[in-house]
Amino acid sequence: MLTAISTLFYRISSWKTLLLAVIINIPFSTYFLKNFEASINEQAGQSIGLIDALVGYDPFRITRMIGEYGAKGRAAYIQAELTLDIVYPFIYTLVLGIALTLLFRHRTYTSFRLVNVLPVGILVFDLLENACIVYLLKIYPVTSPVTTAFCSLLTNLKWTVTTIVIGLILYGLVKWAIRSSQKKLEHS
C-alpha cells in the first residue's frame, strides 16, 4: 500500500501540482483553523486553545480544558473535528508528499524513494488523535485517562514525524539550492 501511495505521488508531482496544493492549503492553515479556534474560545467565553495543538498531554489539563469549553464549545469542537480536521490532514499530506517527491525524486537508493510517504504517518496519527479528542469531548464529564494517554502518544508521534518531514524538506531545499548554484557555475 505504501508503495502504491509513493507511486501515486511520483505520478502526480510537479511544481504546478505543488503550487495548486499549497494554494488549497492556504485558506485552511490561515483562515479556517484560526476561525475554528476563535469560535471554540468564543463559545467558551475565554481563550483556551485547542487540544490538537498541545505537545504531550497532562490528563488533568485536558479534562480542565474540555470542561472550560462548555457544552457549546465542546459541540463546536466536535463539529470542527469531524469536518474541517478530517479534510485538512489530507490537504497537508498532499502538500508534504509532493514536496518530498520533488526534492528527492532523483535519489539513487531505492528505499529512499519511499520518503514521500512519511506525511501519511502524520495523517494517520492526526486522524486517530482527532478520534480520541472527539471521544473525550463526547464522554465529558466522564474522563478516560487511558484515552487521554493514547491521545497524547498520538499527538507526540504526529509532531515527531512532522518535525522529521520538515527537516527533510529543509535538507532537500538546501541540497537543491547547492545543486542549482553548481549548475549555474558550470554553465558560466
Side-chain angles (χ1 to χ4, degrees):
M1 181 167 161
L2 291 179
T3 304
I5 294 169
S6 178
T7 302
L8 175 66
F9 277 131
Y10 279 102
R11 191 175 29 213
I12 67 168
S13 292
S14 70
W15 293 107
K16 287 179 184 177
T17 56
L18 178 61
L19 179 62
L20 177 63
V22 167
I23 289 170
I24 293 169
N25 183 64
I26 288 171
F28 278 88
S29 58
T30 61
Y31 178 75
F32 295 127
L33 291 176
K34 287 184 181 188
N35 284 348
F36 162 37
E37 183 173 3
S39 171
I40 290 168
N41 288 336
E42 182 182 320
Q43 297 292 330
Q46 59 182 315
S47 181
I48 300 169
L50 301 175
I51 297 170
D52 302 67
L54 300 175
V55 178
Y57 293 5
D58 170 3
F60 299 108
R61 180 178 181 195
I62 299 308
T63 302
R64 188 183 77 245
M65 287 174 72
I66 291 171
E68 290 173 348
Y69 291 140
K72 288 182 179 179
R74 286 190 295 276
Y77 204 145
I78 289 169
Q79 181 180 359
E81 286 288 294
L82 295 176
T83 54
L84 176 67
D85 216 9
I86 286 178
V87 174
Y88 182 57
F90 286 95
I91 294 169
Y92 71 67
T93 297
L94 185 65
V95 170
L96 297 173
I98 291 171
L100 287 171
T101 302
L102 292 173
L103 291 169
F104 295 106
R105 71 168 29 150
H106 300 296
R107 294 290 176 194
T108 54
Y109 24 98
T110 308
S111 60
F112 203 78
R113 290 186 54 81
L114 292 176
V115 73
N116 62 353
V117 297
L118 278 173
V120 174
I122 303 168
L123 168 77
V124 170
F125 295 138
D126 198 357
L127 293 176
L128 290 171
E129 171 199 45
N130 294 346
C132 288
I133 291 170
V134 167
Y135 176 75
L136 291 170
L137 290 164
K138 281 189 173 217
I139 67 167
Y140 184 83
V142 176
T143 62
S144 174
V146 172
T147 304
T148 304
F150 185 58
C151 199
S152 177
L153 172 68
L154 292 168
T155 300
N156 289 335
L157 289 170
K158 173 184 79 171
W159 290 119
T160 299
V161 178
T162 300
T163 302
I164 292 167
V165 168
I166 298 300
L168 284 167
I169 289 172
L170 292 174
Y171 170 76
L173 287 171
V174 168
K175 293 291 278 184
W176 176 73
I178 291 169
R179 276 194 310 269
S180 294
S181 296
Q182 289 173 342
K183 285 182 182 179
K184 285 181 184 176
L185 289 174
E186 289 172 4
H187 292 305
S188 305

